[in-house]
Amino acid sequence: MPGTNLTREEARTRAALLHVESYDIELDLGSAPEGGTFRSTTVVRFSATTPGAATFIDLVAPSVSEIVLNGESLDLANFADSRIALPAVRAENELRVVADCAYTNTGEGLHRFVDPVDGETYLYTQFEVPDARRVFAAFEQPDLKAAFRFTVTAPAGWVVVSNSPTPEPAGEGATRTWAFEPTPRMSTYVTALVAGPYVGVFDEYANGDQRVPLGVYCRPSLREFLDAEAIFDVTRQGFDYFQEKFDFAYPFAKYDQLFVPEFNAGAMENAGAVTLRDQYVFRSKVTDASYEMRAATILHELAHMWFGDLVTMEWWNDLWLNESFATFAEAVCQAEAPGSKWPHSWTTFANQMKTWAYRQDQLPSTHPIMAEINDLEDVQVNFDGITYAKGASVLKQLVAYVGQDAFFQGVQAYFKRHAWGNTTLPDLLGALEEASGRDLKTWSKAWLETAGINVLRPELRINTDGEIESFTVLQEAPALPAGARGEAVLRPHRIAIGLYELADGSLVRTDRIELDVDGPRTEVPELVGRHRPAVLLLNDDDLSYAKVRLDEDSMAVVTDHLGDFTDSLPRALCWASAWDMTRDGELATRDYLALALSGLQRESDIGVVQSVQRQVKLALEMYADPAWREEGLQRWAAAAEEQLRAAAPGSDHQLAWARTLAGAARTDAQLGLLAGLLDGSEVIEGLAVDTELRWSLLARLVATGRADDKAVDEELVRDNTSSGQEHAASCRAARPTAEAKAEAWASVVESDKLTNYVQEAVIGGFQQPDQRELIAAYREKYFAAVKGVWESRSHEISQQIIVGLYPAYQVEQATLDATDAWLASADPAPALRRQVVESRAGVERALRAQAADRAAGERH
């Protein structure tokens, strides 16, 4: 039985048979304040190439009351297993389906949320990958596009937003009806509906005669924090840049951005009605890195209006056409758009996105950028670091290869040729080949159709006069992880080599050589005869996607002067290389800590600072020799307090170090400082101990047994919001008692009542690295429960549990053995297997890194 799955072959067969013209969808949301179900009526008009053929339409709903195909009622038994069987279609068809669909609390389909501040109900849809069928009957695959007309009945006083401009509501009494105009042709997964007593701020984008209405929405309880003008500024920047580079006007009638509660992703590119997680409406002080991340998300979703919504992949194996392009577009726009506040976006990209890609590409589940997607379960676990970050890195490499002008000329032709249609990889490559004059088939084979990551290392000889006698770039293709499909390959790279010298205490680039690297050895004659600089940096400017290593002398200089590069990008590249070496066991955790303690004191880029802070914490908890771990953690906590007190009052660095200390405090004095900051008896000049920081301080105090339930209750009184309730749930799960752990486990695994966000918070509180012994017993419970969780919960909810509760902190062979035994006996579905195997790989890597750190300690 298919359940809620759909195979690629089924989709191909259905696409060959059908052409969908339109949907008329009527939704009665008058029941939203009470919850339960809502009435959904769908009329879909479609044609068929083979009259008399059988097919099906998708629907996930508690019940169906009417199925009428071409005027004839079908037996309600035709609705089974999330499908409605259509036994014999005509050349032209009209299907009417009336169903009772369910509100959800999982962030899928039509999510229902009640705000504890005002008691009001808020709804929004999330349909990617296959969840439009939870709201209306749909041919749920991206290549069956249609026009959609929504008619929505909802409580009076509500706001209702969809893909088309919002009409004036009609009616009297307790409800009103909004009748939207039909949309252009689009895929089911980018249709949208947001409804509730949201509040909006409005403006427009103007460019010559072009006028695009802009809206920004949130809940009333967040309105005081909504910096709409800053959001509009970034949005206009994106409109200007993308319309010029794409040479294609924004294709929809308006552009709304809606900040919605309990949203699973960062945002979703619904056509003309983008939904974003409302944590992007900042309730408390955040660093500039958070504003940069929000701007990147805004630009990412705006780029999708062209790449994803206007032109859509035919099937999910080309998901990267959407996500890689939007990820590249967000970074290049921030780097180049006039007036951008974050022209250093490639630094952030190198430090965060590529680090994510490198990690993903070394897992047993690694796959080509153009992945093999056999069914919906495959794609649901494929929104990963390869699809987003590696793909975007490869596009950056492609731009370096063909030139940016030719690249965008090809993109312009692609949009004009395929507007409102569906495409595959050859469609894009063909347009780029025409514009650049280059044959990209070999490039595609190497970069898009193979998995794995290359390593670039320098090999050089220096004579007695300090001159370079020879310089070679060595390229390695490490074997793919056990279990991964395919073989490792060497690839062609376009890279730069940066030459850096120390001048007045700063590392300054004195020259740059750009070249093609291909095969295992590439000689660089341009460097022969030159005086050896202080640092030779491969892949300077981060043009290619590869792990980079430094030669021994360059590494020594970087160790002492990493924070002294005058530009942020080479610093980020060196930080990334050091982190990757730590993960690979080539650099001991204790040595990475020493590098961080030295380099972070002089690191100015707050995004890099916060990334390294997170990485140090992870390295100490997972990769340090357990016998030395406590010493390392104490050194890190002491450094965090020192940097907090030394940071400029009110600065981003001060806030970043305060949060780091809140997660790292260990000694009585440090925990006393946290308690003092919380109750006001301790004051650090310039540090605003606001709502979010208070919860961070309290979470550590609770986890270490320094604060109790009463303290959590009192803090919740101060902040009885949805965010406050999530923080409180996390704190309660973090209490260092067996009873608290049992309660948390039961609420997540043995019950399905928690919302997606509260469940995530409970899992985060349960998994405390300082409480390894307390949660060790749950390893056996995990393997006993995980398959049942997969089979009984929705995708988002089950993935939270499967990944979040894996015994990752039990870094020992017994965890690997228990995992292997379960994999051998449980016969898990491929998507479930992938999640568990990826989690297992983290423990296996941690064991290797701990061994490397132990060996380093013995040498010292």
Side-chain angles (χ1 to χ4, degrees):
M1 301 292 281
T4 56
N5 204 4
L6 174 74
T7 70
R8 184 179 185 181
E9 287 307 310
E10 288 176 316
R12 280 175 171 162
T13 299
R14 191 162 62 174
L17 174 66
L18 303 181
H19 175 81
V20 186
E21 291 293 339
S22 65
Y23 290 81
D24 284 324
I25 301 157
E26 296 182 14
L27 303 174
D28 186 347
L29 306 180
S31 61
E34 291 75 38
T37 62
F38 58 93
R39 178 55 57 93
S40 169
T41 303
T42 305
V43 176
V44 55
R45 298 172 183 88
F46 61 97
S47 58
T49 58
T50 307
T55 188
F56 62 93
I57 194 168
D58 306 287
L59 179 68
V60 177
S63 65
V64 170
S65 57
E66 187 178 342
I67 308 169
V68 180
L69 178 62
N70 299 321
E72 297 182 8
S73 293
L74 300 183
D75 192 321
L76 296 184
N78 281 30
F79 173 53
D81 216 26
S82 302
R83 298 178 176 186
I84 297 174
L86 306 177
V89 296
R90 300 175 184 173
E92 300 294 332
N93 301 272
E94 180 177 287
L95 172 68
R96 172 182 166 88
V97 177
V98 181
D100 287 324
C101 296
Y103 301 103
T104 74
N105 66 354
T106 65
E108 302 153 301
L110 184 58
H111 183 87
R112 177 180 176 272
F113 169 85
V114 177
D115 191 335
V117 175
D118 58 17
E120 295 282 357
T121 300
Y122 298 84
L123 308 176
Y124 66 86
T125 57
Q126 170 58 22
F127 290 159
E128 190 177 42
V129 175
D131 288 322
R133 58 187 172 162
R134 295 181 184 273
V135 175
F136 55 90
F139 295 110
E140 189 81 280
Q141 58 191 76
D143 57 344
L144 288 178
K145 288 187 168 183
F148 295 82
R149 180 164 59 190
F150 287 95
T151 301
V152 180
T153 299
W158 274 27
V159 171
V160 179
V161 178
S162 187
N163 306 98
S164 299
T166 300
E168 286 296 320
E172 298 179 352
T175 61
R176 298 289 185 274
T177 298
W178 287 258
F180 291 87
E181 290 296 314
T183 69
R185 289 188 66 80
M186 62 179 64
S187 300
T188 54
Y189 78 92
V190 294
T191 60
L193 180 69
V194 180
Y198 291 90
V199 292
V201 181
F202 306 99
D203 209 320
E204 72 172 9
Y205 171 74
N207 183 3
D209 294 333
Q210 181 189 28
R211 296 290 185 275
V212 180
L214 305 176
V216 175
Y217 295 82
C218 69
R219 288 175 283 141
S221 59
L222 291 175
R223 176 63 184 90
E224 65 179 294
F225 308 111
L226 180 65
D227 51 340
E229 282 308 311
I231 294 165
F232 286 137
D233 285 347
V234 174
T235 304
R236 290 192 188 94
Q237 169 189 308
F239 266 87
D240 284 340
Y241 187 83
F242 294 147
Q243 290 194 144
E244 176 192 352
K245 293 298 184 183
F246 301 163
D247 192 30
F248 198 111
Y250 173 72
F252 301 103
K254 51 89 176 180
Y255 193 68
D256 290 323
Q257 297 174 87
L258 303 110
F259 293 87
V260 297
E262 298 184 330
F263 197 71
N264 285 323
M268 177 61 202
E269 66 267 22
N270 312 307
V274 169
T275 42
L276 304 96
R277 58 170 47 221
D278 63 12
Q279 287 93 331
Y280 281 134
V281 180
F282 302 121
R283 303 191 310 152
S284 299
K285 178 179 171 60
V286 296
T287 69
D288 188 63
S290 295
Y291 287 102
E292 181 184 3
M293 181 183 297
R294 184 180 70 179
T297 302
I298 290 169
L299 295 172
H300 182 105
E301 305 310 322
L302 181 57
H304 270 311
M305 297 300 109
W306 289 266
F307 226 116
D309 295 2
L310 174 68
V311 182
T312 313
M313 76 261 149
E314 183 177 289
W315 177 247
W316 298 101
N317 56 301
D318 280 317
L319 175 65
W320 80 277
L321 286 175
N322 288 3
E323 299 302 347
S324 299
F325 188 92
T327 304
F328 169 79
E330 76 187 45
V332 72
C333 179
Q334 284 187 303
E336 297 184 358
S340 170
K341 295 181 180 179
W342 298 281
H344 59 278
S345 61
W346 288 123
T347 296
T348 304
F349 182 85
N351 188 59
Q352 296 181 9
M353 296 301 289
K354 291 188 83 168
T355 297
W356 178 26
Y358 295 153
R359 175 189 175 276
Q360 190 80 45
D361 217 359
Q362 296 174 82
L363 291 172
S365 57
T366 186
H367 57 84
I369 294 171
M370 183 181 171
E372 186 61 35
I373 300 296
N374 296 310
D375 55 28
L376 292 180
E377 290 181 358
D378 276 353
V379 71
Q380 286 178 314
V381 293
N382 223 51
F383 288 80
D384 60 19
I386 293 174
T387 300
Y388 284 77
K390 181 179 179 180
S393 303
V394 167
L395 286 178
K396 186 180 182 186
Q397 164 90 350
L398 178 60
V399 170
Y401 182 57
V402 303
Q404 189 177 100
D405 289 345
F407 176 81
F408 279 117
Q409 286 169 14
V411 167
Q412 291 165 12
Y414 174 81
F415 288 138
K416 291 179 175 65
R417 191 173 300 160
H418 300 287
W420 308 111
N422 294 86
T423 59
T424 60
L425 172 62
D427 296 315
L428 176 61
L429 291 184
L432 293 173
E433 285 179 331
E434 292 171 15
S436 67
R438 285 184 178 265
D439 181 353
L440 297 180
K441 296 178 183 62
T442 300
W443 177 89
S444 172
K445 183 71 175 175
W447 281 105
L448 302 179
E449 301 169 48
T450 59
I453 187 171
N454 300 135
V455 182
L456 303 180
R457 300 180 189 271
E459 180 183 78
L460 65 161
R461 289 202 312 270
I462 309 296
N463 65 23
T464 55
D465 294 327
E467 294 176 341
I468 299 173
E469 287 188 342
S470 67
F471 191 100
T472 306
V473 179
L474 306 180
Q475 182 182 181
E476 304 166 4
L480 298 184
R485 284 184 258 175
E487 296 182 357
V489 298
L490 298 177
R491 300 186 177 91
H493 298 263
R494 183 71 178 175
I495 71 164
I497 301 174
L499 285 68
Y500 290 84
E501 293 285 8
L502 275 167
D504 299 324
S506 297
L507 276 170
V508 181
R509 188 165 74 183
T510 57
D511 203 356
R512 175 185 182 276
I513 296 169
E514 192 168 317
L515 71 154
D516 290 318
V517 171
D518 203 353
R521 299 178 63 87
T522 302
E523 303 294 334
V524 188
E526 297 92 333
L527 288 174
V528 174
R530 294 194 181 207
H531 178 77
R532 194 233 138 82
V535 175
L536 286 155
L537 181 58
L538 298 185
N539 200 29
D540 202 14
D541 293 328
D542 200 30
L543 298 181
S544 190
Y545 173 82
K547 294 165 59 165
V548 170
R549 297 295 184 254
L550 298 168
D551 67 272
E552 186 176 346
D553 291 340
S554 293
M555 187 65 187
V557 174
V558 165
T559 299
D560 292 335
H561 297 281
L562 199 161
D564 296 327
F565 282 97
T566 54
D567 296 322
S568 62
L569 185 51
R571 293 200 306 270
L573 295 175
C574 291
W575 279 118
S577 179
W579 173 237
D580 189 69
M581 291 172 67
T582 305
R583 294 186 70 249
D584 282 357
E586 296 179 30
L587 182 68
T589 294
R590 63 195 69 205
D591 294 331
Y592 181 68
L593 174 63
L595 178 67
L597 294 178
S598 170
L600 284 177
Q601 296 182 48
R602 302 188 298 282
E603 178 56 65
S604 60
D605 188 293
I606 188 60
V608 173
V609 168
Q610 290 181 279
S611 290
V612 174
Q613 288 171 335
R614 290 190 292 269
Q615 289 161 358
V616 168
K617 178 71 169 172
L618 175 60
L620 290 170
E621 296 291 5
M622 297 293 288
Y623 301 155
D625 175 11
W628 176 83
R629 180 188 294 130
E630 183 60 32
E631 178 184 339
L633 288 167
Q634 289 188 13
R635 288 181 60 191
W636 178 237
E641 181 180 356
E642 180 182 347
Q643 292 301 313
L644 167 62
R645 295 187 183 279
S651 66
D652 281 358
H653 283 63
Q654 183 188 57
L655 177 58
W657 284 112
R659 289 177 175 169
T660 297
L661 180 61
R666 311 189 70 73
T667 66
D668 289 341
Q670 290 162 356
L671 293 167
L673 173 59
L674 301 193
L677 290 171
L678 193 61
D679 66 22
S681 61
E682 292 270 6
V683 175
I684 295 177
E685 183 186 356
L687 181 65
V689 184
D690 54 22
T691 304
E692 290 298 320
L693 184 55
R694 289 185 62 85
W695 280 114
S696 296
L697 298 169
L698 180 59
R700 184 62 180 161
L701 293 170
V702 170
T704 54
R706 302 302 180 100
D708 56 15
D709 284 352
K710 180 182 177 182
V712 177
D713 293 340
E714 290 173 350
E715 195 63 31
L716 187 56
V717 170
R718 295 173 62 106
D719 181 33
N720 192 18
T721 63
S722 57
S723 294
Q725 291 181 353
E726 292 150 20
H727 285 304
S730 183
C731 284
R732 293 186 178 112
R735 292 171 296 173
T737 67
E739 293 77 13
K741 297 306 176 186
E743 178 184 321
W745 180 270
S747 70
V748 170
V749 178
E750 298 166 16
S751 170
D752 62 358
K753 303 304 182 186
L754 299 182
T755 68
N756 54 335
Y757 267 34
V758 174
Q759 175 179 283
E760 182 179 40
V762 171
I763 291 171
F766 178 90
Q767 290 279 49
Q768 295 288 322
D770 288 342
Q771 299 171 358
R772 285 180 177 84
E773 294 182 3
L774 192 57
I775 59 178
Y778 287 90
R779 179 168 57 202
E780 183 177 349
K781 295 177 184 291
Y782 173 89
F783 289 110
V786 64
K787 189 173 183 181
V789 165
W790 167 260
E791 293 173 345
S792 63
R793 308 290 185 91
S794 73
H795 168 73
E796 289 289 348
I797 293 295
S798 65
Q799 182 168 262
Q800 275 188 8
I801 298 171
I802 293 160
V803 176
L805 288 179
Y806 182 84
Y809 290 125
Q810 309 303 317
V811 181
E812 52 195 34
Q813 185 62 42
T815 301
L816 301 183
D817 294 342
T819 307
D820 293 340
W822 180 84
L823 289 168
S825 63
D827 190 28
L832 171 58
R833 173 180 288 274
R834 171 175 171 169
Q835 293 174 69
V836 174
V837 165
E838 286 185 349
S839 299
R840 180 195 186 281
V843 172
E844 188 174 37
R845 178 176 291 274
L847 281 170
R848 292 196 301 267
Q850 286 184 6
D853 191 53
R854 186 179 307 111
E858 293 169 355
R859 289 195 299 271
H860 294 338

